[in-house]
Amino acid sequence: MMKRTVLSLLSATLLLGATASHANTPAYVDSKEYKVLLDPTRFASNPSSAAATLLHDVSVRLSALAFDKTISGSFSAGDRDTLAYYDTPHSCSLMNRGYTVRTRAGDHSDIQFKFRHADEELSYWTDVSGAGKNKETKFETDVTPGSLVLAHSTKQDATTTPTTVSALIKQFPGASALSDISTAGLSPVAGVTVTQQEYDGPESDIGQSVAEFTLTLWYVNGASTPSLAELSFRVEADADNYFTTPVLTRSQTLNKAIGSIGNGWNIANDGGKTSWLYAYKSSTYPNGFCN
């Protein structure tokens, strides 16, 4: 399946000359990702068994919602990485302006610079360009039970971890919007690293696209039990049909199902993984990283 990429869209607009910088040029997302946080204690002893029970309960919930498709496949352990997010301690200047920086090592090795905002065009036209190797830029919709934002990001090969905003700008010229705080230091958010274990495999044919499910567990500072669990599914845009009405309608049914699974799976916090980490209180930052 072909998808609309930010690179291809920008190339197309460049061919149109003066329209390339027009603020009202439509923004097209590459994908939509729907996600919800779950009770992590359910995965403490046997994550694989819990994942199977979770998938069964989601299927039961979809039947109650009269979903006209099914979920096939089962969860199996996938990528495992160590993550760290970086921001300015006690002020969170990047997050307050809509930016995040994340490094990843393990099955992947990269650094990501992201801008998130509820306004589609603002997010699309905010510069997140990188200067490293193997750059990949994407534009997607992030949907949680309580919010919808547009995320514009670039990831590239990891070289050195930026310890100041100035160093970040050298790696990502798009971060020049932060030049007024270029001397500010960057530290790991909450003073922790996160081991991220993904489980993937299940998917649902929803028409002109496929919903691909992922279960993500976060282990803080090498803990043996997860502190965070997230269930998500991603729907890629089709180059010809984009998102058809049946695809969008079925996506909303799936979103409703994962947001109200029942049997004690769902928790009240619906802000997503990054917001959860920023609010995490560690021994290094007992009052929170931003305070």
Side-chain angles (χ1 to χ4, degrees), residues 8-224:
S8 63
L9 285 168
L10 290 179
S11 298
T13 52
L14 285 172
L15 292 175
L16 296 177
T19 62
S21 61
H22 196 283
N24 292 325
T25 301
Y28 295 97
V29 299
D30 298 306
S31 61
K32 295 178 181 287
E33 186 172 10
Y34 302 78
K35 54 190 73 174
V36 63
L37 295 183
L38 305 176
D39 179 2
T41 65
R42 301 287 293 268
F43 302 92
S45 60
N46 192 329
S48 296
S49 176
T53 302
L54 169 65
L55 190 60
H56 171 268
D57 289 353
V58 170
S59 297
V60 170
R61 178 65 176 134
L62 284 170
S63 295
L65 294 172
F67 188 56
D68 66 342
K69 297 287 185 177
T70 58
I71 298 177
S72 60
S74 58
F75 282 116
S76 59
D79 293 336
R80 188 177 181 89
D81 296 287
T82 298
L83 313 180
Y85 288 73
Y86 292 86
D87 208 327
T88 57
H90 307 298
S91 60
C92 294
S93 300
L94 273 62
M95 173 63 79
N96 287 335
R97 299 190 190 192
Y99 296 97
T100 57
V101 176
R102 184 221 67 202
T103 60
R104 184 168 59 166
D107 287 331
H108 303 86
S109 179
D110 55 38
I111 180 170
Q112 180 191 68
F113 179 57
K114 178 184 288 188
F115 179 79
R116 301 168 76 245
H117 200 279
D119 187 282
E120 184 176 45
E121 276 70 30
L122 176 59
S123 184
Y124 182 75
W125 290 108
T126 294
D127 187 3
V128 293
S129 59
K133 295 181 179 180
N134 297 314
K135 295 183 292 292
E136 179 183 343
T137 297
K138 64 180 180 180
F139 183 55
E140 60 185 347
T141 305
D142 282 343
V143 185
T144 64
S147 69
L148 184 154
V149 298
L150 286 300
H152 192 187
S153 65
T154 295
K155 67 179 180 181
Q156 61 191 28
D157 288 353
T159 53
T160 59
T161 300
T163 57
T164 63
V165 173
S166 177
L168 174 66
I169 294 172
K170 289 181 180 179
Q171 293 191 43
F172 293 93
S176 60
L178 301 168
S179 294
D180 60 305
I181 55 169
S182 62
T183 60
L186 298 175
S187 298
V189 172
V192 302
T193 59
V194 171
T195 299
Q196 175 173 280
Q197 176 65 64
E198 294 183 340
Y199 295 80
D200 48 36
E203 59 183 38
S204 178
D205 178 358
I206 54 176
Q208 283 77 21
S209 192
V210 175
E212 300 174 329
F213 286 82
T214 301
L215 170 65
T216 303
L217 302 182
W218 272 12
Y219 299 80
V220 176
N221 282 344
S224 60

